[in-house]
Amino acid sequence: MDNQSESEFPLTRAEYQRQIRRGNNQNGGNGPHRHRGRKIFGIIILILLAIVVIFGGLAWHNAKQTSDQMFTSAGANKRRNAQKVLAQKRPVSILLLGTDTGDLGRTYKGRTDTIIVMTINPQTKKTMLMSVPRDMKVNLPDYEDESPAKINAAYAYGGTKETINTVQKYFNIPIDYYALVNMAGMKQAINQVGGVTVTSPLTFTYEGYSFTKGVPEHMNGTKALKFCRMRYDDPQGDYGRQQRQKMVIMALLKKSASYKTVLNQKFLKTISKNAKTDLSFSNMMTLAKSYRGATKNIQQGHVQGTDDDSDGQAFQSVSYNERQRVSNILRKNLGLDPVDIDEGE
């Protein structure tokens, strides 16, 4: 089970490198990339999983069946005993990942173009969603020859395991669990909850869909996809897109938390086909029972980088001070003392 995420993608190392280099070259320009903007929306399905985890409310049999189908161990070098953390009802961290390809049975793993560290503190009743820029420049812990690389390439080289190890290293935080999703089924999932209502922070038109600043709009799956995809006309670039993405996530959380269709078999099938996690059904029930209060206060943040075009790639360089700032925030919500990001635990 631990090696499933690596063994199901039979490309050779050389083939991986060629595809990854091709991805870097395609991402380095300033023109519109139709597929690139679309890649982040697997996170929507991931939040449906978070609903199952945090809010509970599903029929017992349906929830267990769905969670069993999604369970896959990451095999990462986790920094603490996650089962003990939950058993003691201590603050927990979950790494939310959205891949840039289709079904999980694909022949090329792709990249995690959505990376969000979610920390849930049942004592302070606070949840933090911290977005990490996909182009963050890193040295991959287990792939020195491929470094420096963008953090979203960690998954392409070493799967979920390498992504968790990289996040833990650069922010000196423990990652207790992960949840990974892909693109397939996103529109259907949003449609199955009746759409989401979001107020756009700016006026823009994208691929035939128009949005007006300050005007609440009810969006079906297709329109929500367009709302989140636009990047190059946003003054904040990818950071603005991250913000719009999280607006849709929050709207979906609010809508789905009490929505009766989470009991629908078709809805659950959509989730199970497009998500993997190392949270067991028992873990999910513990979260639903003991951590639900923390969802009443959800805060958002992001890791801020600066443009770095070294080595012919469009990196985002994140300074030591910024990584330390983010580490302090996340560790605080985990009930941990601040430590230097370069110190091991």
Side-chain angles (χ1 to χ4, degrees):
M1 198 66 143
D2 287 356
N3 296 326
Q4 179 175 344
S5 60
E6 280 69 44
S7 62
E8 65 182 329
F9 306 107
L11 290 190
T12 66
R13 182 181 181 87
E15 289 171 325
Y16 270 137
Q17 292 172 346
R18 283 196 295 272
Q19 292 193 23
I20 290 166
R21 283 195 294 270
R22 183 162 61 248
N24 287 338
N25 292 335
Q26 291 173 345
N27 290 344
N30 295 320
H33 303 290
R34 298 175 62 85
H35 297 291
R36 184 177 180 186
R38 186 173 66 221
K39 293 172 183 177
I40 65 172
F41 300 112
I43 192 65
I44 300 300
I45 301 173
L46 175 58
I47 294 305
L48 300 180
L49 168 63
I51 294 165
V52 176
V53 172
I54 299 173
F55 291 95
L58 293 177
W60 182 273
H61 174 75
N62 291 351
K64 188 176 190 309
Q65 185 178 49
T66 301
S67 64
D68 288 347
Q69 292 171 349
M70 293 187 296
F71 184 87
T72 306
S73 176
N77 303 318
K78 295 189 177 181
R79 298 191 171 193
R80 61 183 185 176
N81 187 325
Q83 298 294 332
K84 188 176 180 180
V85 168
L86 281 186
Q88 296 177 348
K89 298 180 177 58
R90 292 156 51 193
V92 66
S93 64
I94 303 174
L95 185 63
L96 309 180
L97 303 171
T99 62
D100 61 2
T101 54
D103 291 335
L104 288 170
R106 58 195 177 273
T107 58
Y108 173 51
K109 285 190 286 189
R111 298 180 170 219
T112 48
D113 276 356
T114 295
I115 305 173
I116 298 177
V117 180
M118 179 168 69
T119 58
I120 312 171
N121 190 319
Q123 281 82 46
T124 62
K125 293 182 172 54
K126 180 189 298 183
T127 294
M128 168 62 71
L129 297 174
M130 183 69 71
S131 298
V132 178
R134 62 182 188 168
D135 294 338
M136 177 177 166
K137 188 175 184 179
V138 298
N139 290 319
L140 301 176
D142 302 310
Y143 293 85
E144 294 182 4
D145 292 344
E146 316 304 337
S147 301
K150 298 178 181 182
I151 195 170
N152 67 351
Y155 181 74
Y157 283 118
T160 304
K161 174 181 177 180
E162 186 69 8
T163 306
I164 291 174
N165 291 342
T166 304
V167 171
Q168 289 185 142
K169 170 186 174 182
Y170 272 84
F171 298 104
N172 203 344
I173 56 171
I175 295 297
D176 299 314
Y177 297 98
Y178 84 92
L180 178 145
V181 297
N182 57 49
M183 275 287 299
M186 189 282 299
K187 289 193 294 186
Q188 295 92 325
I190 291 181
N191 289 337
Q192 286 165 12
V193 298
V196 294
T197 300
V198 178
T199 301
S200 179
L202 69 163
T203 298
F204 67 95
T205 298
Y206 184 74
E207 295 186 349
Y209 287 80
S210 297
F211 306 91
T212 304
K213 179 178 179 179
V215 177
E217 295 190 56
H218 189 75
M219 306 177 189
N220 60 17
T222 299
K223 191 164 188 177
L225 183 86
K226 305 297 184 183
F227 178 73
C228 294
R229 282 181 63 185
M230 190 275 288
R231 176 187 184 188
Y232 292 101
D233 291 334
D234 192 310
Q236 300 182 65
D238 195 50
Y239 295 102
R241 182 172 62 178
Q242 290 176 22
Q243 179 61 28
R244 280 179 278 114
Q245 172 193 341
K246 284 189 286 188
M247 290 175 68
V248 172
I249 289 172
M250 297 299 293
L252 189 57
L253 269 172
K254 182 178 180 181
K255 182 71 175 292
S256 301
S258 59
Y259 202 79
K260 63 182 179 181
T261 54
V262 295
L263 294 172
N264 185 285
Q265 286 292 332
K266 184 178 179 181
F267 182 82
L268 294 178
K269 188 175 181 181
T270 298
I271 299 173
S272 64
K273 279 187 173 182
N274 295 283
K276 295 295 179 184
T277 181
D278 57 356
L279 284 158
S280 67
F281 179 70
S282 176
N283 296 152
M284 293 181 183
M285 291 303 99
T286 298
L287 284 165
K289 292 176 183 178
S290 303
Y291 291 73
R292 182 173 180 174
T295 63
K296 296 177 181 179
N297 181 8
I298 301 179
Q299 299 182 357
Q300 306 176 40
H302 71 268
V303 180
Q304 181 66 52
T306 57
D307 292 340
D308 179 354
D309 295 328
S310 62
D311 298 323
Q313 297 188 44
F315 289 116
Q316 283 286 296
S317 286
V318 179
S319 69
Y320 171 91
N321 288 339
E322 174 65 1
R323 288 192 292 124
Q324 185 68 65
R325 180 189 71 85
V326 171
S327 176
N328 292 346
I329 292 172
L330 294 174
R331 290 182 68 89
K332 181 178 180 180
N333 204 45
L334 287 172
L336 302 174
D337 293 333
V339 295
D340 190 285
I341 53 175
D342 291 333
E343 292 180 0
E345 290 196 321

